[in-house]
Amino acid sequence: MGLLDGRKALIFGVANDHSIAWGIAKALHAEGATIGFSSVEMLIEKRVRPLATSIGSDFVEPCDVQDDDQIERVFQAWAERYGDLDILVHALAFARREDLEGEFVDTSREGFALALDVSAYSLVAITRHALPVLKPGSSILTLTYYGAEKVVANYNVMGVAKAALEACVRYLAADLGPRDIRVNAISAGPIRTLAASGVSGFKGMWSRFRDVAPMRRNVTIEDVGGAALFLLSDLSRSITGEVLYVDAGFSILGVPTSEEG
Ligand code: NAD
Ligand code: 0WE
């Protein structure tokens, strides 16, 4: 008996086995869910297909979330294959590398539009295209970060995009509540994924996190998977429009200090 026996989930954003989306997929699979994946074309055959196969899934569809036609094709393929959908996971973001260093004031119009399109609007677009197949009782989840609320050095335009994403969660939750469809976000502490690697200063920030966070440890994709399982199952049935922190307590601190001060 699993918490998600008979439930069908579609997960956007697996890049490799370090992805937060993969941590969520493993947690949902362990509770009996049937899972399909959508990722950017380039990653599918080498990275995503083998992971999908390892949990008995062969639904892997390409999609660049900047393209409405590609989003539509994913849901058309889903409808033909499975009919309806219980769980939708949005675990993707993008900004130009040059906009994740230096000063926020230098963000270009194009860089700003790109970051908000991929990282915030895509949740709205995916949700709208999913609506015809989403069942009453279903649940939608996205991933956000503390840089939406407080200034984090170098996070820059992504912080603005995550603030917009969190607002989208609330407006979507209000729209879809009457249909018994929930929308929530998890705000995860820093995790060494592909999207985090190569970001200037990430490594130092990741190791300092462990010294400062109340629980004195870093967050794993399995930690996020557990919280995601809660938000995507009936255990959280009256929770919508929320941001749940999976951050070892970091965000409760007023003045983060380590033993060394
Ligand atoms: P990841 O690199 O494993 O995943 C990011 C995904 O975004 C990749 O699969 C990538 O292909 C996808 N993507 C980028 N542009 C896209 C586009 N145009 N169309 C479709 N897909 C696109 O990294 P991750 O850290 O697992 O990121 C997942 C989510 O978690 C992101 O929203 C990220 O902001 C969020 N998050 C990450 C951390 C962290 O420290 N790693 C912390 C909090 C929140
Ligand atoms: O949301 C993120 C990362 C999102 C991201 C990462 C990249 C790197 C490569 C978006 N776009 C790109 N574009 C690229 O070209 N995180 C929460 C992880 C992260 O990124 C940071 C962080 C943290 C934490 C960037 C600066 C400071 C902290």
Side-chain angles (χ1 to χ4, degrees):
M1 259 291 281
L3 274 173
L4 300 178
D5 283 340
R7 305 288 171 95
K8 293 171 272 188
L10 179 55
I11 300 182
F12 286 75
V14 173
N16 56 40
D17 62 342
H18 299 286
S19 293
I20 293 174
W22 179 243
I24 296 172
K26 287 191 292 181
L28 304 187
H29 172 69
E31 291 296 329
T34 297
I35 298 169
F37 297 92
S38 176
S39 289
V40 291
E41 178 113 57
M42 201 180 74
L43 294 165
I44 285 187
E45 292 314 324
K46 191 158 184 270
R47 300 284 177 196
V48 187
R49 180 89 59 195
L51 290 170
T53 304
S54 76
I55 59 167
S57 165
D58 66 352
F59 187 97
V60 185
E61 290 291 323
C63 179
D64 179 333
V65 298
Q66 290 196 274
D67 183 344
D68 283 312
D69 294 338
Q70 293 187 36
I71 296 175
E72 188 170 339
R73 277 199 286 277
V74 173
F75 286 99
Q76 204 146 4
W78 183 271
E80 281 165 23
R81 178 71 183 277
Y82 292 110
D84 50 26
L85 180 63
D86 304 280
I87 291 169
L88 182 61
V89 177
H90 173 275
L92 51 90
F94 188 77
R96 288 183 185 160
R97 187 173 293 269
E98 70 217 56
D99 289 331
L100 296 177
E101 50 197 32
E103 293 192 297
F104 171 69
V105 71
D106 290 326
T107 308
S108 66
R109 193 180 295 274
E110 292 72 29
F112 188 99
L114 173 66
L116 272 93
D117 187 33
V118 176
S119 314
Y121 181 73
S122 65
L123 176 68
V124 183
I126 288 174
T127 297
R128 187 172 58 253
H129 283 91
L131 277 181
V133 288
L134 278 175
K135 285 202 293 228
S138 60
S139 178
I140 300 173
L141 179 68
T142 188
L143 272 299
T144 186
Y145 176 62
Y146 192 53
E149 298 163 64
K150 301 288 177 186
V151 173
V152 172
N154 297 320
Y155 200 61
N156 295 0
V157 72
M158 272 307 306
V160 176
K162 291 300 193 189
L165 178 72
E166 292 180 12
C168 290
V169 165
R170 291 184 285 271
Y171 279 89
L172 289 170
D175 277 354
L176 307 191
R179 303 177 211 203
D180 196 23
I181 298 170
R182 301 183 294 112
V183 188
N184 292 289
I186 285 175
S187 185
I191 302 177
R192 293 207 285 179
T193 62
L194 186 64
S197 71
V199 163
S200 76
F202 179 87
K203 193 125 185 283
M205 191 251 215
W206 179 83
S207 44
R208 276 196 315 278
F209 183 92
R210 184 178 351 114
D211 302 329
V212 169
M215 298 183 76
R216 300 286 189 271
R217 56 183 180 78
N218 281 103
V219 170
T220 67
I221 62 169
E222 288 76 19
D223 296 341
V224 177
L229 172 62
F230 165 67
L231 286 175
L232 293 168
S233 75
D234 295 342
L235 289 176
S236 60
R237 64 190 162 270
S238 288
I239 300 177
T240 195
E242 273 293 329
V243 177
L244 180 61
Y245 293 85
V246 179
D247 69 349
F250 186 89
S251 64
I252 68 169
L253 298 172
V255 182
T257 13
S258 64
E259 246 97 277
E260 286 74 47

